[in-house]
Amino acid sequence: VYVTHDQVEAMTMGDRVAVMKDGMLQQCDSPLTLYDKPKNVFVAGFIGSPAMNLLSGKVNENGVVVGDWTVPVPRDVLGKASGEDTLTVGIRPEDFELSDHGIAVDVAVVEELGADAFTYGTLSGLSPDEQLSAPQIVARLSGRTPPERGTTVRFAAGEGHKLHVFSNKSGDRLS
């Protein structure tokens, strides 16, 4: 990124962040824009701590099937993925909430931090061997009532929270 001397004086540390992969610029923007609107799956997984949950699933007419739950995806977004059998759904840990519906997760670890609790697990029903290579699912929940280790819970994106949908062919964000 090239800027003039005048632009440098007007900028403060952290105004713009450039995310690169293998020497190629992936996205350059404000930290909040990178977090809220990552251009692709690489940026989505790179920005944030803990990182965005990136879950691949089969496409159906209503959304993307992850485990035993169909993550609802608007038809216009599915239309951008014509010809793709699978897509990746991205959900930030703080956008998950405990629910009666949603992605079934076997809880492996609960990290209680006072006001927050980070819950780590994998899709429910996987064998111990499958769990070793399965993507970890992380939820940031209230520290007052976290689930217990060894239980199975369901997570869904809370009302008004963002779901990101990424192409598995290009890696680009579709939503």
Side-chain angles (χ1 to χ4, degrees):
V1 175
Y2 295 97
V3 294
T4 66
H5 178 69
D6 295 335
Q7 289 171 318
V8 170
E9 288 179 5
M11 294 172 66
T12 60
M13 184 72 157
D15 280 348
R16 310 233 342 135
V17 177
V19 179
M20 299 183 76
K21 177 183 178 192
D22 300 327
M24 299 294 294
L25 180 66
Q26 300 295 304
Q27 187 173 354
C28 182
D29 219 316
S30 71
L32 190 57
T33 299
L34 292 173
Y35 190 81
D36 286 341
K37 296 178 182 173
K39 180 180 177 189
N40 58 40
V41 73
F42 177 79
V43 175
F46 184 79
I47 299 294
S49 180
M52 182 184 286
N53 294 287
L54 297 167
L55 307 167
S56 186
K58 290 195 176 280
V59 175
N60 72 19
E61 64 277 357
N62 297 316
V64 178
V65 180
V66 177
D68 65 351
W69 186 54
T70 300
V71 180
V73 175
R75 291 205 185 276
D76 64 318
V77 174
L78 290 176
K80 294 177 187 177
S82 66
E84 293 195 49
D85 295 331
T86 62
L87 295 173
T88 296
V89 176
I91 306 170
R92 295 265 179 218
E94 66 272 14
D95 291 338
F96 270 137
E97 59 185 33
L98 290 169
S99 178
D100 292 334
H101 66 283
I103 300 168
V105 175
D106 290 334
V107 178
V109 175
V110 177
E111 183 180 11
E112 295 184 49
L113 301 170
D116 296 320
F118 287 101
T119 303
Y120 302 85
T122 55
L123 286 175
S124 182
L126 299 179
S127 72
D129 286 342
E130 291 172 314
Q131 288 178 351
L132 293 174
S133 61
Q136 183 170 248
I137 298 170
V138 183
R140 179 180 172 187
L141 305 170
S142 169
R144 303 285 180 198
T145 56
E148 292 184 28
R149 180 180 182 268
T151 61
T152 299
V153 297
R154 289 194 176 270
F155 294 137
E159 194 69 32
H161 291 283
K162 285 189 178 185
L163 277 170
H164 302 269
V165 181
F166 300 93
S167 165
N168 280 349
K169 287 184 181 176
S170 68
D172 291 338
R173 184 168 55 93
L174 303 174
S175 58

